Amino acid sequence: QVHLVESGGGLVQPGGSLRLSCAASGSFFSIYVMGWYRQAPGKQRELVASITSGGSTNYADSLKGRFTISRDNAENTVYLQMNSLNPEDTAVYYCNADVQIGPVDGKDYWGKGTLVTVSS
């Protein structure tokens, strides 16, 4: 069907940066919204940022401009540039896509996640 594969996670020092990527593959008509969510241990999954096919973005207020989401529609790929990272950003980051899979069908898909660890 549709697969989302994240990459770019890893260990980064406080104040550092990481760039996450998520590529969508499979059979579908289009992807309306792509986004990033994160889930820290013992916490609920929360929205980080999302972006529509037209480039409209939405961010969690708490990020205060530290993160930037972008997408390449031709490659069906979404990116998350994370700057000024702190230990509170440590979480598994999940890619999400609102996918139109048929003329009248749409479905929400999730990637398996990529771990981001912010530590000295």
Side-chain angles (χ1 to χ4, degrees):
Q1 295 183 2
V2 179
H3 299 279
L4 303 176
V5 181
E6 303 100 333
S7 62
L11 176 65
V12 63
Q13 64 185 22
S17 300
L18 281 177
R19 187 175 189 241
L20 305 182
S21 300
C22 173
S25 62
S27 180
F28 50 84
F29 281 82
S30 63
I31 304 177
Y32 174 50
V33 180
M34 301 187 78
W36 290 95
Y37 291 72
R38 68 184 184 184
Q39 187 167 24
K43 300 181 65 177
Q44 293 184 330
R45 188 173 300 184
E46 63 179 355
L47 172 70
V48 175
S50 64
I51 184 169
T52 69
S53 59
S56 179
T57 59
N58 183 47
Y59 295 91
D61 292 336
S62 61
L63 296 180
K64 298 182 179 180
R66 294 187 296 115
F67 292 4
T68 302
I69 191 170
S70 61
R71 66 186 285 175
D72 184 336
N73 292 331
E75 296 292 334
N76 294 311
T77 301
V78 64
Y79 306 93
L80 183 68
Q81 179 67 46
M82 304 184 294
N83 299 324
S84 301
L85 289 164
N86 57 66
E88 289 71 38
D89 296 315
T90 296
V92 176
Y93 285 71
Y94 295 92
C95 179
N96 172 262
D98 182 1
V99 181
Q100 183 182 350
I101 59 176
V104 295
D105 296 325
K107 189 175 180 179
D108 200 43
Y109 288 89
W110 293 90
K112 296 185 181 297
T114 183
L115 177 63
V116 173
T117 302
V118 185
S119 179
S120 299

